Amino acid sequence: MKQIRPNLSAALVAPLRPFKPQDADTVARLNDMASGGILLTIWKRMAGKEGDPWEHGRLQQFEQIKSGWNIVVLDQGSGVEAVMMGQPHGTEPATLEDIDAEWVPIIELENLVPEAWYLNVIATLPAFRGLGHGSRLMAQAQRMACAGGHSRIALVVSDASTPAIRLYERSGFNELARRPMFKGEWEGPGQDWVLMVKSL
């Protein structure tokens, strides 16, 4: 299947817009919130005792864009209120070598849906929840997946994230598989990662 990457700027309608460098701090925090704190655990490990884990988080946002992620923010004029991050998957499974153990079950689940458009993150700052931001960003993710020629969209969510699961079910997602979480140094909620998929 030929991958068609949409023109991100042309595909967005305000208050949605592409990620800008000045968004990196807020987007890193939203990304960590969506991970249930796994990212901050890993960034602390990378930074060591003397380093700044959030600087690793800020820099990671730029690395993700370089690797093909699409990052869309919802900004009504006063800064980022919510974010959606996603990417098209290729046909080859991602390798499990040289990745942090916390990610292994998530990557295993992602590998079950080759060629899907993968929704990595939808997150809203606490002060802006309940305003429909998640639904708006979900609709944008599905538009981007369709524009890229994908027949399905997939995501992984913690079984403890009940509000998120309700949003995904309302949007037409169904559970496909589960994997037990690996906690390690991470103390986040939940027992299983849940792979959810929607046909487009």
Side-chain angles (χ1 to χ4, degrees):
M1 179 178 64
K2 183 180 179 182
Q3 301 294 334
I4 306 167
R5 189 166 182 189
N7 181 322
L8 192 54
S9 297
L12 300 179
V13 176
L16 303 182
R17 62 167 175 79
F19 171 89
K20 296 179 180 178
Q22 60 265 35
D23 302 328
D25 182 74
T26 303
V27 170
R29 292 178 187 276
L30 284 163
N31 199 352
D32 178 60
M33 285 169 40
S35 79
I38 289 179
L39 283 170
L40 183 56
T41 298
I42 292 171
W43 296 337
K44 285 179 178 178
R45 190 182 302 153
M46 295 169 65
K49 292 182 179 180
E50 304 300 323
D52 176 8
W54 289 109
E55 180 60 18
H56 286 275
R58 288 186 285 271
L59 293 173
Q60 182 173 305
Q61 311 317 305
F62 299 102
E63 292 302 317
Q64 288 167 332
I65 288 175
K66 288 179 184 176
S67 68
W69 288 37
N70 295 294
I71 303 181
V72 174
V73 303
L74 192 152
D75 178 357
Q76 300 190 86
S78 58
V80 175
E81 298 178 11
V83 68
M84 182 273 289
M85 308 170 78
Q87 61 180 320
H89 268 199
T91 58
E92 297 299 321
T95 179
L96 297 177
E97 296 178 7
D98 301 322
I99 66 168
D100 295 281
E102 292 91 342
W103 291 127
V104 169
I106 297 174
I107 301 299
E108 288 177 345
L109 289 169
E110 291 179 16
N111 284 340
L112 297 177
V113 285
E115 297 189 357
W117 199 90
Y118 189 76
L119 179 57
N120 299 86
V121 173
I122 282 187
T124 302
L125 291 173
F128 300 102
R129 290 175 185 165
L131 302 176
H133 289 3
S135 295
R136 180 174 287 186
L137 287 165
M138 175 63 74
Q140 177 63 33
Q142 293 180 63
R143 284 193 293 271
M144 292 167 68
C146 289
H150 297 274
S151 62
R152 57 184 177 170
I153 185 169
L155 58 89
V156 172
V157 62
S158 165
D159 62 352
S161 299
T162 305
I165 290 173
R166 284 200 298 262
L167 168 65
Y168 303 145
E169 289 175 339
R170 287 197 306 269
S171 298
F173 285 78
N174 295 296
E175 180 178 333
L176 181 65
R178 289 178 177 235
R179 291 287 188 277
M181 294 176 174
F182 176 82
K183 298 286 181 126
E185 299 171 351
W186 174 57
E187 299 178 353
Q191 298 299 317
D192 291 330
W193 293 114
V194 181
L195 174 66
M196 303 186 74
V197 179
K198 178 181 178 178
S199 296
L200 299 172

